[in-house]
Amino acid sequence: MITTVDLGDYTTDIYFSELKKENNYENRLLISDEHIYRANKSFARYWDALPENHRLLLPAGESAKNSASLFRILDAAFDAELDRGGEMTAVGGGVLTDMTGLAASLFKRGCAAVFYPTTLLAMVDAAVGGKTGIDYRGMKNMIGTFYPAREVRIDLSFLETLPENEYRSGLGEVIKTAMLGDASLFRLLREESAAFCRRDPEKLRDAVARCVCIKARFVRDDFREHGIRAFLNWGHTFGHAFEAAAGLGTFTHGEAVIWGIDKGLKAAELLGKGNRSYADDFRELTRRYGFRTEAPVSDFSLFLKALAGDKKKNGGALEFVLQSGPCETFRAPLSDEILRKIIPTV
Ligand code: GLY
């Protein structure tokens, strides 16, 4: 369970220097991916200096989020002779932290997981809150556990080398989180969009810390998602179906979430619970960051099929997370008639 949020000065440089100084890698396995290794030269230098049986480099990307990678982590932990007091340290994005968390929860019935999230999305969402998983049978996160990392250490310098589309994807989750829990951050994201677009370190530090605090509140109150944790899926039900209908990879996750939030605001309005000026502020904000909320769905029946298959379907009735204003979130079913009105088609 998350107990403290402190952005401190935990840089990867400090961590690796300490590891080296004290030969401190005994009982630790470090896991990263090929993309991070190639993109970060100083990280690669530290990595190469680690003993081979205490490090594991996996292929990058969603396609590697599978049982083969999971068992490579577990095998590497056995080869490194970790015991139950051991630690798996993941340096990577959400795919890697999800898989490492799952492996840590399974290894000898549970060893510690420590995460260094390297993407904005993982810093504010995936690495925080204890959801672990791998994809299975073509479906995302179908095998997983709730198992929080012992520590999440956020080194913002990783954001300097993050590709633009991944950075914007993370901004999508930052915007979502602000809408759920911090009206002043939502305002700041609008007013300071230029600073966020150029990745101003101070602005990012503040926004990331605030997002982690907001998420920590939801997770603390509802760790296993029996109730309000589902609010963190704001924009996701529409967004996932949009991603599926557009073809996975056409839109980034954050872009799809912003698209979904736009539809959620429209649905709330049709239910008589909307807030026009809030929706206008949201749309102005998304334009400033270049999100495409008008993008149409090319295959509406595929979109509906993806909605029906959404794993958040609860007892046969699909409830959508919606908002009637900043930090005013609720859940409601939506009729096919409303869906037809809010989803743009070609
Ligand atoms: N990403 C949503 C959650 O952690 O609940």
PDB file of all heavy atoms in Angstrom, residues 50-88:
ATOM      1  N   LEU A  50      26.960  -3.831 -14.143  1.00  0.00           N
ATOM      2  CA  LEU A  50      26.347  -4.765 -13.190  1.00  0.00           C
ATOM      3  C   LEU A  50      26.720  -6.201 -13.537  1.00  0.00           C
ATOM      4  O   LEU A  50      26.883  -6.530 -14.709  1.00  0.00           O
ATOM      5  CB  LEU A  50      24.818  -4.644 -13.235  1.00  0.00           C
ATOM      6  CG  LEU A  50      24.199  -3.357 -12.721  1.00  0.00           C
ATOM      7  CD1 LEU A  50      22.711  -3.328 -13.064  1.00  0.00           C
ATOM      8  CD2 LEU A  50      24.386  -3.240 -11.218  1.00  0.00           C
ATOM      9  N   PRO A  51      26.827  -7.071 -12.540  1.00  0.00           N
ATOM     10  CA  PRO A  51      27.093  -8.478 -12.841  1.00  0.00           C
ATOM     11  C   PRO A  51      25.963  -9.054 -13.700  1.00  0.00           C
ATOM     12  O   PRO A  51      24.786  -8.765 -13.447  1.00  0.00           O
ATOM     13  CB  PRO A  51      27.099  -9.152 -11.471  1.00  0.00           C
ATOM     14  CG  PRO A  51      27.114  -8.068 -10.471  1.00  0.00           C
ATOM     15  CD  PRO A  51      26.652  -6.814 -11.111  1.00  0.00           C
ATOM     16  N   GLU A  52      26.328  -9.859 -14.676  1.00  0.00           N
ATOM     17  CA  GLU A  52      25.339 -10.317 -15.664  1.00  0.00           C
ATOM     18  C   GLU A  52      24.155 -11.066 -15.061  1.00  0.00           C
ATOM     19  O   GLU A  52      23.032 -10.956 -15.532  1.00  0.00           O
ATOM     20  CB  GLU A  52      26.029 -11.209 -16.693  1.00  0.00           C
ATOM     21  CG  GLU A  52      26.179 -10.503 -18.022  1.00  0.00           C
ATOM     22  CD  GLU A  52      26.905 -11.351 -19.026  1.00  0.00           C
ATOM     23  OE1 GLU A  52      26.371 -12.404 -19.380  1.00  0.00           O
ATOM     24  OE2 GLU A  52      28.013 -10.934 -19.425  1.00  0.00           O
ATOM     25  N   ASN A  53      24.416 -11.839 -14.009  1.00  0.00           N
ATOM     26  CA  ASN A  53      23.299 -12.622 -13.458  1.00  0.00           C
ATOM     27  C   ASN A  53      22.399 -11.802 -12.527  1.00  0.00           C
ATOM     28  O   ASN A  53      21.500 -12.348 -11.892  1.00  0.00           O
ATOM     29  CB  ASN A  53      23.815 -13.888 -12.738  1.00  0.00           C
ATOM     30  CG  ASN A  53      24.707 -13.533 -11.577  1.00  0.00           C
ATOM     31  OD1 ASN A  53      25.326 -12.478 -11.575  1.00  0.00           O
ATOM     32  ND2 ASN A  53      24.765 -14.404 -10.582  1.00  0.00           N
ATOM     33  N   HIS A  54      22.652 -10.496 -12.446  1.00  0.00           N
ATOM     34  CA  HIS A  54      21.754  -9.639 -11.654  1.00  0.00           C
ATOM     35  C   HIS A  54      21.025  -8.623 -12.522  1.00  0.00           C
ATOM     36  O   HIS A  54      20.464  -7.661 -12.001  1.00  0.00           O
ATOM     37  CB  HIS A  54      22.539  -8.925 -10.546  1.00  0.00           C
ATOM     38  CG  HIS A  54      22.953  -9.857  -9.454  1.00  0.00           C
ATOM     39  ND1 HIS A  54      22.162 -10.175  -8.383  1.00  0.00           N
ATOM     40  CD2 HIS A  54      24.081 -10.596  -9.319  1.00  0.00           C
ATOM     41  CE1 HIS A  54      22.773 -11.050  -7.612  1.00  0.00           C
ATOM     42  NE2 HIS A  54      23.947 -11.324  -8.158  1.00  0.00           N
ATOM     43  N   ARG A  55      21.089  -8.808 -13.828  1.00  0.00           N
ATOM     44  CA  ARG A  55      20.369  -7.870 -14.708  1.00  0.00           C
ATOM     45  C   ARG A  55      19.703  -8.635 -15.850  1.00  0.00           C
ATOM     46  O   ARG A  55      20.226  -9.663 -16.304  1.00  0.00           O
ATOM     47  CB  ARG A  55      21.305  -6.803 -15.260  1.00  0.00           C
ATOM     48  CG  ARG A  55      22.489  -7.335 -16.039  1.00  0.00           C
ATOM     49  CD  ARG A  55      23.255  -6.171 -16.658  1.00  0.00           C
ATOM     50  NE  ARG A  55      24.651  -6.414 -16.845  1.00  0.00           N
ATOM     51  CZ  ARG A  55      25.220  -6.795 -17.994  1.00  0.00           C
ATOM     52  NH1 ARG A  55      24.486  -7.017 -19.058  1.00  0.00           N
ATOM     53  NH2 ARG A  55      26.514  -6.959 -18.074  1.00  0.00           N
ATOM     54  N   LEU A  56      18.572  -8.118 -16.273  1.00  0.00           N
ATOM     55  CA  LEU A  56      17.826  -8.753 -17.374  1.00  0.00           C
ATOM     56  C   LEU A  56      17.257  -7.656 -18.267  1.00  0.00           C
ATOM     57  O   LEU A  56      16.516  -6.780 -17.801  1.00  0.00           O
ATOM     58  CB  LEU A  56      16.675  -9.598 -16.800  1.00  0.00           C
ATOM     59  CG  LEU A  56      15.703 -10.181 -17.830  1.00  0.00           C
ATOM     60  CD1 LEU A  56      16.398 -11.246 -18.686  1.00  0.00           C
ATOM     61  CD2 LEU A  56      14.490 -10.797 -17.129  1.00  0.00           C
ATOM     62  N   LEU A  57      17.613  -7.734 -19.544  1.00  0.00           N
ATOM     63  CA  LEU A  57      17.109  -6.762 -20.518  1.00  0.00           C
ATOM     64  C   LEU A  57      16.055  -7.461 -21.384  1.00  0.00           C
ATOM     65  O   LEU A  57      16.352  -8.445 -22.051  1.00  0.00           O
ATOM     66  CB  LEU A  57      18.282  -6.296 -21.384  1.00  0.00           C
ATOM     67  CG  LEU A  57      18.284  -4.874 -21.914  1.00  0.00           C
ATOM     68  CD1 LEU A  57      18.099  -3.847 -20.824  1.00  0.00           C
ATOM     69  CD2 LEU A  57      19.588  -4.600 -22.665  1.00  0.00           C
ATOM     70  N   LEU A  58      14.828  -6.934 -21.360  1.00  0.00           N
ATOM     71  CA  LEU A  58      13.737  -7.559 -22.124  1.00  0.00           C
ATOM     72  C   LEU A  58      13.460  -6.743 -23.390  1.00  0.00           C
ATOM     73  O   LEU A  58      13.801  -5.558 -23.451  1.00  0.00           O
ATOM     74  CB  LEU A  58      12.476  -7.610 -21.262  1.00  0.00           C
ATOM     75  CG  LEU A  58      12.516  -8.588 -20.087  1.00  0.00           C
ATOM     76  CD1 LEU A  58      11.315  -8.369 -19.178  1.00  0.00           C
ATOM     77  CD2 LEU A  58      12.547 -10.028 -20.581  1.00  0.00           C
ATOM     78  N   PRO A  59      12.790  -7.338 -24.378  1.00  0.00           N
ATOM     79  CA  PRO A  59      12.365  -6.543 -25.535  1.00  0.00           C
ATOM     80  C   PRO A  59      11.371  -5.470 -25.067  1.00  0.00           C
ATOM     81  O   PRO A  59      10.673  -5.671 -24.075  1.00  0.00           O
ATOM     82  CB  PRO A  59      11.665  -7.550 -26.453  1.00  0.00           C
ATOM     83  CG  PRO A  59      11.914  -8.890 -25.882  1.00  0.00           C
ATOM     84  CD  PRO A  59      12.371  -8.743 -24.468  1.00  0.00           C
ATOM     85  N   ALA A  60      11.319  -4.345 -25.781  1.00  0.00           N
ATOM     86  CA  ALA A  60      10.426  -3.253 -25.384  1.00  0.00           C
ATOM     87  C   ALA A  60       9.053  -3.422 -26.031  1.00  0.00           C
ATOM     88  O   ALA A  60       8.911  -4.090 -27.051  1.00  0.00           O
ATOM     89  CB  ALA A  60      11.037  -1.922 -25.808  1.00  0.00           C
ATOM     90  N   GLY A  61       8.043  -2.813 -25.410  1.00  0.00           N
ATOM     91  CA  GLY A  61       6.737  -2.696 -26.077  1.00  0.00           C
ATOM     92  C   GLY A  61       5.691  -3.680 -25.598  1.00  0.00           C
ATOM     93  O   GLY A  61       5.986  -4.693 -24.958  1.00  0.00           O
ATOM     94  N   GLU A  62       4.436  -3.323 -25.945  1.00  0.00           N
ATOM     95  CA  GLU A  62       3.264  -4.096 -25.500  1.00  0.00           C
ATOM     96  C   GLU A  62       3.342  -5.558 -25.961  1.00  0.00           C
ATOM     97  O   GLU A  62       2.898  -6.459 -25.250  1.00  0.00           O
ATOM     98  CB  GLU A  62       1.998  -3.413 -26.047  1.00  0.00           C
ATOM     99  CG  GLU A  62       0.681  -3.928 -25.524  1.00  0.00           C
ATOM    100  CD  GLU A  62       0.363  -3.495 -24.082  1.00  0.00           C
ATOM    101  OE1 GLU A  62       0.794  -2.411 -23.658  1.00  0.00           O
ATOM    102  OE2 GLU A  62      -0.323  -4.275 -23.396  1.00  0.00           O
ATOM    103  N   SER A  63       3.937  -5.792 -27.143  1.00  0.00           N
ATOM    104  CA  SER A  63       3.960  -7.173 -27.655  1.00  0.00           C
ATOM    105  C   SER A  63       4.823  -8.084 -26.788  1.00  0.00           C
ATOM    106  O   SER A  63       4.715  -9.305 -26.863  1.00  0.00           O
ATOM    107  CB  SER A  63       4.456  -7.191 -29.110  1.00  0.00           C
ATOM    108  OG  SER A  63       5.752  -6.645 -29.149  1.00  0.00           O
ATOM    109  N   ALA A  64       5.681  -7.480 -25.946  1.00  0.00           N
ATOM    110  CA  ALA A  64       6.525  -8.307 -25.059  1.00  0.00           C
ATOM    111  C   ALA A  64       5.874  -8.532 -23.693  1.00  0.00           C
ATOM    112  O   ALA A  64       6.467  -9.156 -22.811  1.00  0.00           O
ATOM    113  CB  ALA A  64       7.885  -7.634 -24.874  1.00  0.00           C
ATOM    114  N   LYS A  65       4.639  -8.029 -23.538  1.00  0.00           N
ATOM    115  CA  LYS A  65       3.994  -8.144 -22.219  1.00  0.00           C
ATOM    116  C   LYS A  65       3.273  -9.491 -22.140  1.00  0.00           C
ATOM    117  O   LYS A  65       2.040  -9.564 -22.162  1.00  0.00           O
ATOM    118  CB  LYS A  65       3.010  -6.975 -22.051  1.00  0.00           C
ATOM    119  CG  LYS A  65       2.574  -6.729 -20.623  1.00  0.00           C
ATOM    120  CD  LYS A  65       1.658  -5.522 -20.550  1.00  0.00           C
ATOM    121  CE  LYS A  65       1.244  -5.240 -19.126  1.00  0.00           C
ATOM    122  NZ  LYS A  65       0.290  -4.133 -19.016  1.00  0.00           N
ATOM    123  N   ASN A  66       4.051 -10.543 -22.063  1.00  0.00           N
ATOM    124  CA  ASN A  66       3.462 -11.881 -22.188  1.00  0.00           C
ATOM    125  C   ASN A  66       4.076 -12.866 -21.197  1.00  0.00           C
ATOM    126  O   ASN A  66       4.994 -12.522 -20.446  1.00  0.00           O
ATOM    127  CB  ASN A  66       3.621 -12.377 -23.633  1.00  0.00           C
ATOM    128  CG  ASN A  66       5.073 -12.312 -24.072  1.00  0.00           C
ATOM    129  OD1 ASN A  66       5.988 -12.486 -23.258  1.00  0.00           O
ATOM    130  ND2 ASN A  66       5.295 -12.043 -25.351  1.00  0.00           N
ATOM    131  N   SER A  67       3.568 -14.101 -21.253  1.00  0.00           N
ATOM    132  CA  SER A  67       4.019 -15.097 -20.278  1.00  0.00           C
ATOM    133  C   SER A  67       5.497 -15.432 -20.475  1.00  0.00           C
ATOM    134  O   SER A  67       6.203 -15.748 -19.513  1.00  0.00           O
ATOM    135  CB  SER A  67       3.154 -16.353 -20.369  1.00  0.00           C
ATOM    136  OG  SER A  67       3.133 -16.799 -21.701  1.00  0.00           O
ATOM    137  N   ALA A  68       5.994 -15.339 -21.717  1.00  0.00           N
ATOM    138  CA  ALA A  68       7.414 -15.647 -21.949  1.00  0.00           C
ATOM    139  C   ALA A  68       8.290 -14.655 -21.188  1.00  0.00           C
ATOM    140  O   ALA A  68       9.256 -15.046 -20.512  1.00  0.00           O
ATOM    141  CB  ALA A  68       7.718 -15.597 -23.447  1.00  0.00           C
ATOM    142  N   SER A  69       7.960 -13.356 -21.261  1.00  0.00           N
ATOM    143  CA  SER A  69       8.742 -12.347 -20.527  1.00  0.00           C
ATOM    144  C   SER A  69       8.609 -12.557 -19.024  1.00  0.00           C
ATOM    145  O   SER A  69       9.580 -12.436 -18.273  1.00  0.00           O
ATOM    146  CB  SER A  69       8.267 -10.938 -20.871  1.00  0.00           C
ATOM    147  OG  SER A  69       8.447 -10.666 -22.234  1.00  0.00           O
ATOM    148  N   LEU A  70       7.374 -12.869 -18.599  1.00  0.00           N
ATOM    149  CA  LEU A  70       7.165 -13.101 -17.162  1.00  0.00           C
ATOM    150  C   LEU A  70       8.092 -14.209 -16.664  1.00  0.00           C
ATOM    151  O   LEU A  70       8.764 -14.062 -15.637  1.00  0.00           O
ATOM    152  CB  LEU A  70       5.699 -13.481 -16.913  1.00  0.00           C
ATOM    153  CG  LEU A  70       5.362 -13.921 -15.490  1.00  0.00           C
ATOM    154  CD1 LEU A  70       5.469 -12.744 -14.516  1.00  0.00           C
ATOM    155  CD2 LEU A  70       3.965 -14.522 -15.422  1.00  0.00           C
ATOM    156  N   PHE A  71       8.143 -15.316 -17.428  1.00  0.00           N
ATOM    157  CA  PHE A  71       8.975 -16.436 -16.977  1.00  0.00           C
ATOM    158  C   PHE A  71      10.469 -16.141 -17.140  1.00  0.00           C
ATOM    159  O   PHE A  71      11.282 -16.688 -16.400  1.00  0.00           O
ATOM    160  CB  PHE A  71       8.550 -17.748 -17.652  1.00  0.00           C
ATOM    161  CG  PHE A  71       7.387 -18.358 -16.916  1.00  0.00           C
ATOM    162  CD1 PHE A  71       6.086 -18.071 -17.282  1.00  0.00           C
ATOM    163  CD2 PHE A  71       7.609 -19.150 -15.805  1.00  0.00           C
ATOM    164  CE1 PHE A  71       5.008 -18.586 -16.570  1.00  0.00           C
ATOM    165  CE2 PHE A  71       6.545 -19.667 -15.076  1.00  0.00           C
ATOM    166  CZ  PHE A  71       5.239 -19.387 -15.460  1.00  0.00           C
ATOM    167  N   ARG A  72      10.810 -15.245 -18.063  1.00  0.00           N
ATOM    168  CA  ARG A  72      12.229 -14.836 -18.130  1.00  0.00           C
ATOM    169  C   ARG A  72      12.618 -14.082 -16.854  1.00  0.00           C
ATOM    170  O   ARG A  72      13.708 -14.259 -16.327  1.00  0.00           O
ATOM    171  CB  ARG A  72      12.476 -13.957 -19.365  1.00  0.00           C
ATOM    172  CG  ARG A  72      12.600 -14.793 -20.640  1.00  0.00           C
ATOM    173  CD  ARG A  72      13.034 -13.960 -21.804  1.00  0.00           C
ATOM    174  NE  ARG A  72      14.395 -13.443 -21.640  1.00  0.00           N
ATOM    175  CZ  ARG A  72      14.945 -12.521 -22.423  1.00  0.00           C
ATOM    176  NH1 ARG A  72      14.247 -12.025 -23.433  1.00  0.00           N
ATOM    177  NH2 ARG A  72      16.174 -12.109 -22.224  1.00  0.00           N
ATOM    178  N   ILE A  73      11.707 -13.265 -16.355  1.00  0.00           N
ATOM    179  CA  ILE A  73      12.008 -12.545 -15.097  1.00  0.00           C
ATOM    180  C   ILE A  73      12.138 -13.550 -13.946  1.00  0.00           C
ATOM    181  O   ILE A  73      13.090 -13.502 -13.161  1.00  0.00           O
ATOM    182  CB  ILE A  73      10.916 -11.497 -14.761  1.00  0.00           C
ATOM    183  CG1 ILE A  73      10.803 -10.456 -15.878  1.00  0.00           C
ATOM    184  CG2 ILE A  73      11.218 -10.808 -13.431  1.00  0.00           C
ATOM    185  CD1 ILE A  73       9.648  -9.457 -15.712  1.00  0.00           C
ATOM    186  N   LEU A  74      11.172 -14.478 -13.879  1.00  0.00           N
ATOM    187  CA  LEU A  74      11.205 -15.442 -12.775  1.00  0.00           C
ATOM    188  C   LEU A  74      12.468 -16.302 -12.853  1.00  0.00           C
ATOM    189  O   LEU A  74      13.151 -16.524 -11.837  1.00  0.00           O
ATOM    190  CB  LEU A  74       9.943 -16.314 -12.802  1.00  0.00           C
ATOM    191  CG  LEU A  74       8.640 -15.570 -12.453  1.00  0.00           C
ATOM    192  CD1 LEU A  74       7.416 -16.431 -12.751  1.00  0.00           C
ATOM    193  CD2 LEU A  74       8.632 -15.146 -10.981  1.00  0.00           C
ATOM    194  N   ASP A  75      12.810 -16.757 -14.068  1.00  0.00           N
ATOM    195  CA  ASP A  75      14.027 -17.577 -14.216  1.00  0.00           C
ATOM    196  C   ASP A  75      15.270 -16.787 -13.806  1.00  0.00           C
ATOM    197  O   ASP A  75      16.166 -17.320 -13.142  1.00  0.00           O
ATOM    198  CB  ASP A  75      14.169 -18.061 -15.667  1.00  0.00           C
ATOM    199  CG  ASP A  75      13.253 -19.255 -15.940  1.00  0.00           C
ATOM    200  OD1 ASP A  75      12.935 -19.988 -14.974  1.00  0.00           O
ATOM    201  OD2 ASP A  75      12.841 -19.428 -17.101  1.00  0.00           O
ATOM    202  N   ALA A  76      15.312 -15.520 -14.222  1.00  0.00           N
ATOM    203  CA  ALA A  76      16.482 -14.693 -13.878  1.00  0.00           C
ATOM    204  C   ALA A  76      16.570 -14.508 -12.357  1.00  0.00           C
ATOM    205  O   ALA A  76      17.667 -14.467 -11.791  1.00  0.00           O
ATOM    206  CB  ALA A  76      16.385 -13.338 -14.577  1.00  0.00           C
ATOM    207  N   ALA A  77      15.409 -14.416 -11.701  1.00  0.00           N
ATOM    208  CA  ALA A  77      15.418 -14.268 -10.235  1.00  0.00           C
ATOM    209  C   ALA A  77      15.966 -15.536  -9.577  1.00  0.00           C
ATOM    210  O   ALA A  77      16.723 -15.465  -8.600  1.00  0.00           O
ATOM    211  CB  ALA A  77      14.009 -13.959  -9.732  1.00  0.00           C
ATOM    212  N   PHE A  78      15.603 -16.696 -10.131  1.00  0.00           N
ATOM    213  CA  PHE A  78      16.170 -17.948  -9.594  1.00  0.00           C
ATOM    214  C   PHE A  78      17.676 -17.988  -9.852  1.00  0.00           C
ATOM    215  O   PHE A  78      18.461 -18.341  -8.968  1.00  0.00           O
ATOM    216  CB  PHE A  78      15.488 -19.169 -10.219  1.00  0.00           C
ATOM    217  CG  PHE A  78      14.145 -19.454  -9.606  1.00  0.00           C
ATOM    218  CD1 PHE A  78      12.964 -19.206 -10.300  1.00  0.00           C
ATOM    219  CD2 PHE A  78      14.058 -19.971  -8.307  1.00  0.00           C
ATOM    220  CE1 PHE A  78      11.724 -19.453  -9.723  1.00  0.00           C
ATOM    221  CE2 PHE A  78      12.821 -20.215  -7.722  1.00  0.00           C
ATOM    222  CZ  PHE A  78      11.651 -19.953  -8.429  1.00  0.00           C
ATOM    223  N   ASP A  79      18.087 -17.599 -11.073  1.00  0.00           N
ATOM    224  CA  ASP A  79      19.516 -17.639 -11.411  1.00  0.00           C
ATOM    225  C   ASP A  79      20.322 -16.680 -10.530  1.00  0.00           C
ATOM    226  O   ASP A  79      21.474 -16.942 -10.203  1.00  0.00           O
ATOM    227  CB  ASP A  79      19.738 -17.282 -12.893  1.00  0.00           C
ATOM    228  CG  ASP A  79      19.172 -18.363 -13.810  1.00  0.00           C
ATOM    229  OD1 ASP A  79      18.918 -19.490 -13.308  1.00  0.00           O
ATOM    230  OD2 ASP A  79      18.943 -18.079 -14.999  1.00  0.00           O
ATOM    231  N   ALA A  80      19.703 -15.564 -10.156  1.00  0.00           N
ATOM    232  CA  ALA A  80      20.395 -14.596  -9.293  1.00  0.00           C
ATOM    233  C   ALA A  80      20.319 -15.007  -7.816  1.00  0.00           C
ATOM    234  O   ALA A  80      20.827 -14.301  -6.939  1.00  0.00           O
ATOM    235  CB  ALA A  80      19.782 -13.206  -9.475  1.00  0.00           C
ATOM    236  N   GLU A  81      19.645 -16.135  -7.576  1.00  0.00           N
ATOM    237  CA  GLU A  81      19.516 -16.693  -6.215  1.00  0.00           C
ATOM    238  C   GLU A  81      18.859 -15.714  -5.239  1.00  0.00           C
ATOM    239  O   GLU A  81      19.282 -15.562  -4.094  1.00  0.00           O
ATOM    240  CB  GLU A  81      20.879 -17.155  -5.699  1.00  0.00           C
ATOM    241  CG  GLU A  81      21.442 -18.250  -6.581  1.00  0.00           C
ATOM    242  CD  GLU A  81      22.772 -18.809  -6.088  1.00  0.00           C
ATOM    243  OE1 GLU A  81      23.348 -18.251  -5.137  1.00  0.00           O
ATOM    244  OE2 GLU A  81      23.210 -19.797  -6.684  1.00  0.00           O
ATOM    245  N   LEU A  82      17.822 -15.043  -5.725  1.00  0.00           N
ATOM    246  CA  LEU A  82      17.059 -14.169  -4.831  1.00  0.00           C
ATOM    247  C   LEU A  82      16.310 -15.023  -3.821  1.00  0.00           C
ATOM    248  O   LEU A  82      15.825 -16.112  -4.159  1.00  0.00           O
ATOM    249  CB  LEU A  82      16.021 -13.362  -5.631  1.00  0.00           C
ATOM    250  CG  LEU A  82      16.366 -11.919  -6.003  1.00  0.00           C
ATOM    251  CD1 LEU A  82      17.628 -11.889  -6.835  1.00  0.00           C
ATOM    252  CD2 LEU A  82      15.222 -11.280  -6.765  1.00  0.00           C
ATOM    253  N   ASP A  83      16.219 -14.531  -2.612  1.00  0.00           N
ATOM    254  CA  ASP A  83      15.316 -15.189  -1.663  1.00  0.00           C
ATOM    255  C   ASP A  83      14.089 -14.308  -1.458  1.00  0.00           C
ATOM    256  O   ASP A  83      13.935 -13.294  -2.140  1.00  0.00           O
ATOM    257  CB  ASP A  83      16.044 -15.525  -0.351  1.00  0.00           C
ATOM    258  CG  ASP A  83      16.579 -14.278   0.347  1.00  0.00           C
ATOM    259  OD1 ASP A  83      15.943 -13.213   0.214  1.00  0.00           O
ATOM    260  OD2 ASP A  83      17.619 -14.374   1.016  1.00  0.00           O
ATOM    261  N   ARG A  84      13.244 -14.678  -0.513  1.00  0.00           N
ATOM    262  CA  ARG A  84      11.999 -13.909  -0.361  1.00  0.00           C
ATOM    263  C   ARG A  84      12.234 -12.491   0.135  1.00  0.00           C
ATOM    264  O   ARG A  84      11.372 -11.635   0.020  1.00  0.00           O
ATOM    265  CB  ARG A  84      11.033 -14.647   0.569  1.00  0.00           C
ATOM    266  CG  ARG A  84      10.236 -15.663  -0.189  1.00  0.00           C
ATOM    267  CD  ARG A  84       9.307 -16.394   0.703  1.00  0.00           C
ATOM    268  NE  ARG A  84       8.152 -15.584   1.091  1.00  0.00           N
ATOM    269  CZ  ARG A  84       7.228 -16.017   1.937  1.00  0.00           C
ATOM    270  NH1 ARG A  84       7.339 -17.194   2.488  1.00  0.00           N
ATOM    271  NH2 ARG A  84       6.203 -15.248   2.237  1.00  0.00           N
ATOM    272  N   GLY A  85      13.407 -12.257   0.691  1.00  0.00           N
ATOM    273  CA  GLY A  85      13.755 -10.881   1.091  1.00  0.00           C
ATOM    274  C   GLY A  85      14.372 -10.112  -0.056  1.00  0.00           C
ATOM    275  O   GLY A  85      14.806  -8.980   0.117  1.00  0.00           O
ATOM    276  N   GLY A  86      14.423 -10.734  -1.233  1.00  0.00           N
ATOM    277  CA  GLY A  86      15.069 -10.110  -2.384  1.00  0.00           C
ATOM    278  C   GLY A  86      14.220  -9.013  -3.008  1.00  0.00           C
ATOM    279  O   GLY A  86      13.084  -8.762  -2.598  1.00  0.00           O
ATOM    280  N   GLU A  87      14.813  -8.385  -4.029  1.00  0.00           N
ATOM    281  CA  GLU A  87      14.146  -7.218  -4.623  1.00  0.00           C
ATOM    282  C   GLU A  87      14.278  -7.265  -6.149  1.00  0.00           C
ATOM    283  O   GLU A  87      15.364  -7.494  -6.663  1.00  0.00           O
ATOM    284  CB  GLU A  87      14.828  -5.965  -4.074  1.00  0.00           C
ATOM    285  CG  GLU A  87      14.284  -4.675  -4.607  1.00  0.00           C
ATOM    286  CD  GLU A  87      15.133  -3.496  -4.140  1.00  0.00           C
ATOM    287  OE1 GLU A  87      15.205  -3.249  -2.924  1.00  0.00           O
ATOM    288  OE2 GLU A  87      15.743  -2.843  -5.005  1.00  0.00           O
ATOM    289  N   MET A  88      13.159  -7.076  -6.806  1.00  0.00           N
ATOM    290  CA  MET A  88      13.191  -6.899  -8.263  1.00  0.00           C
ATOM    291  C   MET A  88      13.037  -5.407  -8.543  1.00  0.00           C
ATOM    292  O   MET A  88      12.050  -4.804  -8.122  1.00  0.00           O
ATOM    293  CB  MET A  88      12.051  -7.653  -8.931  1.00  0.00           C
ATOM    294  CG  MET A  88      12.157  -9.157  -8.798  1.00  0.00           C
ATOM    295  SD  MET A  88      10.840  -9.952  -9.726  1.00  0.00           S
ATOM    296  CE  MET A  88      11.064 -11.656  -9.211  1.00  0.00           C
TER     297      MET A  88
END
